[in-house]
Every structure is written in C-alpha cells, then in structure tokens.
Amino acid sequence: MKKNEILLQLDDVYQDVIEWRRYLHQNPELSFQEDHTSQFVYDLLESFGGFELSRPTKTSVVARLKGSKPGKVIALRADMDALPIREETGLPFTSTKDGVMHACGHDGHTSMLLGAAKILTEHKEDLSGEIVFLFQHAEELPPGGAQEMVAAGVLNGVDEVVGVHLFSTVPFGTIHIRYGALTAASDVFEISLQGKGGHASTPQLTIDPLATGAQIVTGLNHIVSRSIDPLQPSVVSVTKFKAGGLALNVIPDTVEIGGSVRTLSPEVRELVKNRIIEITEGIAKANGVEAKVNYTYGYSSVMNDKHVTDEVVQVLEEFLPDRTLEWVDPLLGGEDFSAFSNEKPGCFVIIGAGNEEKGITYPHHHPKFDIDEQALKDGLRFHVFTALTLTQQ
Ligand code: NI
C-alpha cells in the first residue's frame, strides 16, 4: 500500500469533499425524494471512472470497484437524505429549500464516501478484492432505504459492511465505537379499547374502557421491572392515553393508548412485544372490553460484529493514531444501517464533529445543527484505509 502517496492525495481530495458537502447542504432533499442528490453522486462517480454503477432503487446509487488481486468484498455505506426542518444556521451555504435541511450530517457522509471513491479508483491496479460503495436513500424515514437496497441485492457477494456517522455531540478528534448493539431497536405500539359507554351514574350498565385502560397502563409499566432480566436494558413508555370528552358525566365507548419501546437484543424485543399483547388482551378480557394491539417494528439494533470491529479498530490505530478512540455505551436512537449489519457482519463507528470553540454544539435534527468540516477528513481517511485494509485480510 502506498501510504504516503495516499496521504498526500487525501489533502487534495479533502478540498473537493468540502465543496461537495456545501453544495449538498445547499440542495437538501427529503427521504425517498433524493433525485437530484443521487444524480449528482452518479455523475461524479461516472466522471471518476473505473466503477460498475447501478441504481438499485429510484434514488440510491451503488458503485462497485473491482481490484486486480484476490481479496474480500467490503461495502462502505453513506446515507444521503435530509430532514423536514427549517434551517437557522445562518451559514453562507445555508439550505436553499425552505423547510428542508441537512440537519443530521448526511451531506458530509455522502461527500466523504465520494472522496474515498475518487481516491480508491485511482489505485485500482493495486487493489485487492472489491469495494462496494453504497449511497443510500431515506435513512430518516422508516421503513428506511437500507432494507430496500438489501432487498434489491446490493449485499450479494459482500463479505463485510462498514458505516460511519458524524456526531456534533461528540468533539472533533474523538471516535466512538463498541462491540455488539450500538443503537437500540425502536418500535411503537398502539392499543384501541372498545367498551360500552353510558351514564356515569349507572356504571353497572356500561363496559368501562377507561378503567380498563388505566389497569393496562399499570400492567405495561410492570413489563420491564417484572419480565425482563435486570441486566438487559429496555424501555417501555406509554406516551398516549385518549379517552372521554367534554361531558364529565359520560363513560366513554373507546380508549386509545400508545407508546414506544427500546430494546438492545432481538430476544428482549420479542419478549416485550409478547408481554404487551398478553397483558393488554388479558386485562381487557377480564373486564369484557375488546382490545386491538398494533405493534410496529422500527429499525432494529445496529450490531457491531466482534471480528469486523477488531479489524476497524486496527485501521483506526494505524491510520488515525492522532484521534482518541472511546468505547461507549449504546445509544437509544435509531439507525437503519441495521438492515445491512443484520445481513452481513458489520461495524458502525461514530466520528466526532462537534467543536465548542466554533459554536458547533447543537444536537442532530436541530435547526442550528452543524458539523466541524475538519471531521470530513477523518471520515475520508477512515473510508480509504478501511477499504484498503479490510479487502486484503
Ligand atoms: Ni443521521
């Protein structure tokens, strides 16, 4: 590997990466509507040359770069979509689309991976194996773009998949990683109760869904404390309870309950789901109320494979030795990289892009969200050396 030559190239291409990031930042597109963004990515990749390009879905792009020596097939992923947020950063390259903003750093992700593609295609002769660049649409909107790309076969023949997220809440210079679950599975549930309303003065003539609903909420709040291993993190939060109207002398007909579930293992996820259904149906039956439970799966946990994570840590230690690597607890946010890492062994890392001195401290999805552009170079370096190293092993 011509490490020094590549390091010099990184300095050059970093300037392109900043330019692309600013262009994408100015021209954000919502999930599943990344028409212009994906065309921009496709055209640039075509201009670099050397790739086998495809469009697995309407607004995603995949570029395959085949090396000339045998080796592993490594996929690198970047997400490309923006959010329905009105930007308030005041940046010179602020969004030109009212109410749409790159408020999660996906503009940076796309640009870093484009930069890596530009560098790696110039080293095609020395490459082992194959690199698959996944430019993914719709990370922000469940059911998400990743599972559509997987269904379209983008991981066929891939050995390992690696992804990156820039974080404004992690200081520039710091990189976060962990083995196993990095993010939580995040699901929602809705319960509708059908009783028989009536006058408050004659409860014996009604079937009261409100009193039943109250028992159900209490029951649901016991799931984590009574049914789940205390060493397995999980959350069940009831966040909605709708019943009754203006008249205080009326027992209502129906009640609507809803809430959110976060879990870190597939077993606990299934257990919580089953307990929600059993408790709701059991209490409803005891009270003669009809209950319907709708449980909707959101993104599952991003699982960092032990072996791939060890390889990635090696890359970080060798090629980003000037950065601080921290082993962290799981995050309870969702990330649809899980659709890739469920399919193939993978690793997802968090690259610090916050900077207090520059006032870059706002969290993701905030109208003043920004990233320290120095972090783009970390991501670029990470992608290039991950591809070069992992394909060889
Ligand atoms: Ni994001």
Side-chain angles (χ1 to χ4, degrees):
M1 194 190 303
K2 305 164 189 162
K3 184 177 165 184
N4 288 330
E5 189 191 318
I6 291 170
L7 286 173
L8 284 176
Q9 254 180 316
L10 280 170
D11 290 333
D12 273 354
V13 174
Y14 172 47
Q15 300 306 320
D16 295 329
V17 171
I18 291 176
E19 200 180 300
W20 298 329
R21 183 256 162 167
R22 293 183 177 186
Y23 176 78
L24 292 172
H25 194 86
Q26 259 183 315
N27 297 281
E29 289 176 304
L30 293 174
S31 311
F32 297 103
Q33 301 172 31
E34 307 89 341
D35 296 300
H36 179 76
T37 306
S38 57
Q39 194 58 49
F40 174 78
V41 166
Y42 191 96
D43 291 346
L44 269 177
L45 290 165
E46 202 167 42
S47 76
F48 303 155
F51 300 100
E52 193 185 288
L53 292 174
S54 64
R55 295 275 217 156
T57 71
K58 201 173 128 280
T59 56
S60 63
V61 180
V62 170
R64 288 183 169 257
L65 183 64
K66 287 196 171 71
S68 45
K69 293 180 264 182
K72 283 198 305 196
V73 182
I74 301 298
L76 302 173
R77 175 270 207 166
D79 42 11
M80 306 190 287
D81 54 330
L83 287 152
I85 292 173
R86 181 164 293 118
E87 180 161 354
E88 291 171 17
T89 59
L91 288 167
F93 50 90
T94 203
S95 169
T96 55
K97 283 190 194 160
D98 191 28
V100 185
M101 174 188 177
H102 267 295
C104 198
H106 300 186
D107 47 347
H109 301 168
T110 305
S111 310
M112 296 186 306
L113 194 58
L114 278 170
K118 187 176 182 186
I119 292 173
L120 290 163
T121 193
E122 287 175 24
H123 295 271
K124 206 175 165 170
E125 306 312 310
D126 308 316
L127 273 183
S128 307
E130 185 179 339
I131 305 163
V132 181
F133 300 86
L134 305 171
F135 291 92
Q136 186 208 313
H137 60 303
E139 192 282 323
E140 299 285 3
L141 189 65
Q147 66 166 36
E148 286 188 352
M149 292 180 77
V150 170
V154 302
L155 291 182
N156 290 349
V158 167
D159 293 307
E160 295 170 5
V161 57
V162 175
V164 162
H165 209 302
L166 298 170
F167 260 52
S168 63
T169 48
V170 175
F172 166 68
T174 300
I175 294 174
H176 285 182
I177 200 164
R178 71 176 274 112
Y179 293 129
L182 179 70
T183 63
S186 124
D187 304 333
V188 293
F189 63 88
E190 285 164 300
I191 296 168
S192 50
L193 301 178
Q194 177 71 55
K196 191 176 134 216
H199 200 280
S201 63
T202 53
Q204 76 280 12
L205 302 178
T206 71
I207 298 172
D208 184 353
L210 199 153
T212 306
Q215 284 178 36
I216 289 171
V217 172
T218 305
L220 298 181
N221 278 329
H222 281 113
I223 295 174
V224 172
S225 77
R226 300 294 85 188
S227 301
I228 310 296
D229 177 347
L231 298 179
Q232 297 274 357
S234 56
V235 180
V236 176
S237 286
V238 178
T239 54
K240 171 178 153 182
F241 193 105
K242 265 178 133 171
L246 291 175
L248 296 180
N249 58 357
V250 175
I251 291 169
D253 271 320
T254 59
V255 167
E256 285 168 43
I257 299 170
S260 168
V261 176
R262 304 286 160 122
T263 51
L264 291 177
S265 85
E267 294 76 28
V268 173
R269 189 184 200 182
E270 283 313 295
L271 180 56
V272 169
K273 177 193 165 186
N274 291 336
R275 290 301 290 141
I276 288 173
I277 294 169
E278 285 163 8
I279 287 168
T280 302
E281 289 179 350
I283 293 174
K285 188 161 184 237
N287 290 285
V289 169
E290 242 178 81
K292 259 189 218 143
V293 185
N294 241 331
Y295 192 94
T296 309
Y297 291 108
Y299 296 156
S300 50
S301 269
V302 168
M303 286 290 178
N304 277 350
D305 175 80
K306 170 85 169 62
H307 172 70
V308 183
T309 304
D310 283 340
E311 287 179 330
V312 163
V313 167
Q314 242 181 22
V315 171
L316 290 169
E317 284 172 351
E318 189 173 350
F319 298 102
L320 288 96
D322 44 347
R323 299 292 175 253
T324 309
L325 186 61
E326 285 177 4
W327 294 84
V328 293
D329 290 331
L331 312 159
L332 291 182
E335 163 60 65
D336 86 337
F337 181 78
S338 53
F340 297 122
S341 63
N342 279 348
E343 208 64 27
K344 300 285 176 178
C347 179
F348 196 72
V349 303
I350 289 163
I351 294 185
N355 196 324
E356 245 184 79
E357 280 170 28
K358 296 182 183 171
I360 301 171
T361 53
Y362 289 96
H364 291 245
H365 299 204
H366 189 283
K368 291 186 175 170
F369 169 85
D370 193 14
I371 51 167
D372 185 344
E373 286 180 332
Q374 291 183 90
L376 297 172
K377 200 168 173 184
D378 285 358
L380 178 62
R381 194 152 46 131
F382 175 75
H383 277 316
V384 168
F385 287 111
T386 296
L388 289 171
T389 310
L390 270 57
T391 46
Q392 279 180 3
Q393 288 175 346

PDB file of all heavy atoms in Angstrom, residues 228-234:
ATOM      1  N   ILE A 228     -38.349  -8.677  32.487  1.00  0.00           N
ATOM      2  CA  ILE A 228     -37.076  -8.596  31.766  1.00  0.00           C
ATOM      3  C   ILE A 228     -35.906  -8.725  32.735  1.00  0.00           C
ATOM      4  O   ILE A 228     -35.921  -8.147  33.826  1.00  0.00           O
ATOM      5  CB  ILE A 228     -36.958  -7.238  31.016  1.00  0.00           C
ATOM      6  CG1 ILE A 228     -38.220  -6.959  30.175  1.00  0.00           C
ATOM      7  CG2 ILE A 228     -35.702  -7.180  30.154  1.00  0.00           C
ATOM      8  CD1 ILE A 228     -38.468  -7.921  29.051  1.00  0.00           C
ATOM      9  N   ASP A 229     -34.904  -9.484  32.309  1.00  0.00           N
ATOM     10  CA  ASP A 229     -33.654  -9.609  33.055  1.00  0.00           C
ATOM     11  C   ASP A 229     -33.112  -8.206  33.363  1.00  0.00           C
ATOM     12  O   ASP A 229     -32.912  -7.409  32.453  1.00  0.00           O
ATOM     13  CB  ASP A 229     -32.665 -10.393  32.160  1.00  0.00           C
ATOM     14  CG  ASP A 229     -31.288 -10.546  32.773  1.00  0.00           C
ATOM     15  OD1 ASP A 229     -30.983  -9.852  33.769  1.00  0.00           O
ATOM     16  OD2 ASP A 229     -30.513 -11.350  32.236  1.00  0.00           O
ATOM     17  N   PRO A 230     -32.885  -7.898  34.642  1.00  0.00           N
ATOM     18  CA  PRO A 230     -32.423  -6.548  35.006  1.00  0.00           C
ATOM     19  C   PRO A 230     -31.103  -6.158  34.325  1.00  0.00           C
ATOM     20  O   PRO A 230     -30.771  -4.977  34.249  1.00  0.00           O
ATOM     21  CB  PRO A 230     -32.230  -6.619  36.524  1.00  0.00           C
ATOM     22  CG  PRO A 230     -32.906  -7.849  36.969  1.00  0.00           C
ATOM     23  CD  PRO A 230     -33.045  -8.779  35.806  1.00  0.00           C
ATOM     24  N   LEU A 231     -30.359  -7.134  33.836  1.00  0.00           N
ATOM     25  CA  LEU A 231     -29.091  -6.802  33.179  1.00  0.00           C
ATOM     26  C   LEU A 231     -29.269  -6.533  31.687  1.00  0.00           C
ATOM     27  O   LEU A 231     -28.303  -6.282  30.967  1.00  0.00           O
ATOM     28  CB  LEU A 231     -28.071  -7.931  33.403  1.00  0.00           C
ATOM     29  CG  LEU A 231     -27.709  -8.156  34.881  1.00  0.00           C
ATOM     30  CD1 LEU A 231     -26.725  -9.309  35.032  1.00  0.00           C
ATOM     31  CD2 LEU A 231     -27.114  -6.884  35.486  1.00  0.00           C
ATOM     32  N   GLN A 232     -30.515  -6.624  31.212  1.00  0.00           N
ATOM     33  CA  GLN A 232     -30.807  -6.368  29.787  1.00  0.00           C
ATOM     34  C   GLN A 232     -31.560  -5.035  29.678  1.00  0.00           C
ATOM     35  O   GLN A 232     -32.715  -4.969  30.074  1.00  0.00           O
ATOM     36  CB  GLN A 232     -31.696  -7.481  29.220  1.00  0.00           C
ATOM     37  CG  GLN A 232     -31.054  -8.845  29.220  1.00  0.00           C
ATOM     38  CD  GLN A 232     -30.225  -9.090  27.979  1.00  0.00           C
ATOM     39  OE1 GLN A 232     -30.177  -8.258  27.077  1.00  0.00           O
ATOM     40  NE2 GLN A 232     -29.572 -10.228  27.925  1.00  0.00           N
ATOM     41  N   PRO A 233     -30.910  -4.000  29.144  1.00  0.00           N
ATOM     42  CA  PRO A 233     -31.572  -2.688  29.084  1.00  0.00           C
ATOM     43  C   PRO A 233     -32.800  -2.719  28.171  1.00  0.00           C
ATOM     44  O   PRO A 233     -32.787  -3.334  27.110  1.00  0.00           O
ATOM     45  CB  PRO A 233     -30.510  -1.772  28.482  1.00  0.00           C
ATOM     46  CG  PRO A 233     -29.249  -2.546  28.480  1.00  0.00           C
ATOM     47  CD  PRO A 233     -29.587  -3.998  28.561  1.00  0.00           C
ATOM     48  N   SER A 234     -33.887  -2.078  28.630  1.00  0.00           N
ATOM     49  CA  SER A 234     -35.079  -1.939  27.795  1.00  0.00           C
ATOM     50  C   SER A 234     -35.949  -0.819  28.361  1.00  0.00           C
ATOM     51  O   SER A 234     -35.850  -0.489  29.544  1.00  0.00           O
ATOM     52  CB  SER A 234     -35.879  -3.245  27.748  1.00  0.00           C
ATOM     53  OG  SER A 234     -36.216  -3.646  29.056  1.00  0.00           O
TER      54      SER A 234
END
